[in-house]
Amino acid sequence: WIFSGRRAFGHGGSLRGYEDQVWYFPREGVSIALLSNRGLYNPDKTVRQLLRVLWKHIDVPKPQFDPSRNTSG
């Protein structure tokens, strides 16, 4: 998966009123996990918002834009 040009490994899932997402960014050395009750908010949108804040506070260069491998976010 690609989040704002940064490669991540992980997945999201849900079961009986529960949702989660877990991602690892090897270049940045960062892992993020989001666990929630289903239906309270959009986990994908929340992960992307958390990552935007995180990238502002760690010293990792922004990746170069590659339209063939980049997604919005």
Side-chain angles (χ1 to χ4, degrees):
W1 289 87
I2 305 294
F3 290 88
S4 299
R6 298 175 193 269
R7 182 176 301 276
F9 298 93
H11 68 90
S14 62
L15 179 66
R16 298 183 203 172
Y18 166 82
E19 289 189 65
D20 69 65
Q21 288 200 20
V22 178
W23 300 102
Y24 171 62
F25 296 81
R27 181 171 178 252
E28 294 79 5
V30 170
S31 295
I32 186 168
L34 176 70
L35 312 170
S36 71
N37 291 329
R38 189 176 227 177
L40 294 179
Y41 53 88
N42 181 332
D44 184 59
K45 182 178 177 181
T46 303
V47 165
R48 291 177 186 278
Q49 290 172 336
L50 289 169
L51 289 171
R52 275 192 215 89
V53 172
L54 177 65
W55 302 145
K56 291 178 184 178
H57 295 287
I58 64 173
D59 189 23
V60 177
K62 185 173 182 175
Q64 292 185 351
F65 179 75
D66 178 352
S68 68
R69 297 174 54 189
N70 204 341
T71 61
S72 64

